[in-house]
Amino acid sequence: MPPSPAPTRPRPRDAQYLARAIALAAKGLGHTRPNPAVGAVIAKNGKILGEGWHRKAGHDHAEAAAIKDARRRGHSTRGATIYVTLEPCSKPGRVGACTDAIIAAGIAKVVYAIPDPNPKNRGKAKRALAKAGVACERFAGDKALLQAAGDLVRAFRKHILTGIPYVTVKIAMSLDGKICDDRGNAKWISSPGSRSLTGSTLRETSDAIMVGGETVRKDNPSLLSHGKRNDDLVRVVVSKSGNLPKDSRIFTDGAPNPTLVFPDPRTALVELGKMGITSVLCEGGLQLARSLAEQGFVDEWLSVLAPVVIGTLPIDKALRGKIDPASHHLSCGDSFLTVSFEN
């Protein structure tokens, strides 16, 4: 699922600023690889001076973007506090170190939500800033807010620690456990709302989308975002034979990134990790999803259980019911759901 939004209930100002930084950071999801999505807000005397987020690798980091935004607004950042979703970087990469930018801007204090997931870098920002007389502390309140900030970097964390992308599997299935009818047709088991979640939100915030060769041969999907375009999205097909129709939409629709084909899931994830891909959304089919799970690659499994019974019918003739919202509950670790049908 997409990262949890920061809670919106009233809170102290420092939490409000951090919540805003989290909302800004989320705009970068799916675009910043191999870097994490980060947001920053600069404030002083109860007023926001500047804000920013990391838009793409090679562009300004969130801290530098916020400092530039404050200057564009005509504000001095001297003596201000900067609120950041992730501990600032302390060494130059493709752009300068964030700690250097903070010091140069005269900022007096840094408040961050999540420590750097890289053990080699964790804590270095505080030491570098302390030498320049800049206070640096981790935000200590509001667990829900910290969870939201942590969700933003979960894919980056796994990639940094393992070299493998964070894998989310999404499968739509009927009440009788089918992902397609007996003719192999899967359009459409799930509702328009569920398809919008996958086709828009999930694809917009993922680095790559993965399917099996059979999905390409049967469905000829585009795999592109249905809503806001994500030109950074990489499409991946796992096919042992590599025998895929050359006129498939994923090869001919002119999307910015070429579609990549790999012989098996392990090779795909290892190579994608080397490319800096931090998150992968697997949308089909079931054999590929099972293989990923059996090999221990799945971090999150999203099952869309539609109130549909397919049986031996064509999918457009399937029996469709209505979910009773009040019936949905958890017991003994299982989910219970009641669906009613009009007979």
Side-chain angles (χ1 to χ4, degrees):
M1 290 291 290
S4 305
T8 57
R9 64 181 183 276
R11 52 164 57 93
R13 273 185 178 157
D14 57 348
Q16 291 178 26
Y17 297 143
L18 193 53
R20 174 59 181 162
I22 290 170
L24 292 167
K27 296 182 178 184
L29 288 170
H31 305 285
T32 62
R33 64 176 183 270
N35 298 337
V38 181
V41 170
I42 302 173
K44 185 178 180 181
N45 298 328
K47 179 181 179 180
I48 291 180
L49 306 181
E51 54 186 33
W53 70 95
H54 186 38
R55 296 172 183 266
K56 196 169 184 176
H59 292 216
D60 286 334
H61 287 186
E63 296 90 332
I67 290 168
K68 289 183 178 180
D69 182 53
R71 289 172 180 164
R72 281 193 296 268
R73 298 187 192 190
H75 298 309
S76 169
T77 54
R78 188 159 302 279
T81 298
I82 186 167
Y83 298 85
V84 194
T85 57
L86 183 68
E87 178 183 353
C89 66
S90 56
K91 62 179 182 180
R94 294 173 66 179
V95 297
C98 292
T99 50
D100 291 342
I102 290 168
I103 293 167
I107 290 172
K109 184 178 180 180
V110 175
V111 177
Y112 66 91
I114 303 297
D116 193 321
N118 191 338
K120 296 180 180 179
N121 297 330
R122 190 176 304 145
K124 286 188 175 181
K126 186 171 185 176
R127 293 192 290 271
L129 292 167
K131 290 181 180 179
V134 179
C136 181
E137 64 182 43
R138 185 181 178 189
F139 180 74
D142 202 326
K143 292 182 179 179
L145 202 58
L146 291 172
Q147 178 64 51
D151 287 346
L152 289 168
V153 295
R154 60 191 176 192
F156 175 72
R157 179 185 294 108
K158 183 185 178 185
H159 184 253
I160 281 290
L161 297 178
T162 69
I164 300 295
Y166 185 99
V167 177
T168 299
V169 168
K170 177 265 178 183
I171 295 288
M173 61 188 296
S174 65
L175 291 172
D176 53 338
K178 303 188 75 169
I179 65 168
C180 63
D181 62 23
D182 290 347
R183 297 153 188 79
N185 185 11
K187 296 183 178 178
W188 297 102
I189 290 178
S190 58
S191 68
S194 296
R195 296 197 299 273
S196 177
L197 171 66
T198 302
S200 298
T201 306
L202 293 179
R203 291 183 187 178
E204 286 172 15
T205 57
S206 297
D207 290 344
I209 182 168
M210 177 187 289
V211 296
E214 196 63 14
T215 296
V216 174
R217 288 186 282 268
K218 283 186 176 180
D219 298 341
N220 191 23
S222 76
L223 303 180
L224 297 174
S225 173
H226 295 167
K228 182 180 177 182
R229 283 185 54 167
N230 181 358
D231 287 341
D232 296 310
L233 185 68
V234 174
R235 296 173 291 179
V236 179
V237 182
V238 174
S239 172
K240 186 175 182 180
S241 68
N243 184 21
L244 301 168
K246 293 182 180 179
D247 60 351
S248 297
R249 295 168 68 189
I250 56 173
F251 299 125
T252 61
D253 60 10
N257 293 317
T259 297
L260 306 177
V261 181
F262 297 100
D264 60 82
R266 179 177 292 276
T267 299
L269 293 176
V270 169
E271 293 303 314
L272 291 172
K274 291 178 181 178
M275 293 168 54
I277 299 291
T278 66
S279 63
V280 173
L281 171 65
C282 173
E283 283 198 26
L286 186 57
Q287 182 177 346
L288 174 59
R290 285 171 173 168
S291 179
L292 288 166
E294 289 169 358
Q295 296 181 64
F297 289 126
V298 176
D299 298 284
E300 188 174 13
W301 186 295
L302 174 59
S303 287
V304 179
L305 182 60
V308 177
V309 176
I310 298 174
T312 60
L313 297 171
I315 201 165
D316 60 347
K317 304 291 186 182
L319 181 63
R320 296 182 180 269
K322 293 183 179 180
I323 296 174
D324 177 4
S327 72
H328 190 200
H329 65 280
L330 296 174
S331 180
C332 303
D334 297 320
S335 181
F336 287 75
L337 190 68
T338 299
V339 176
S340 60
F341 297 90
E342 293 183 2
N343 295 314

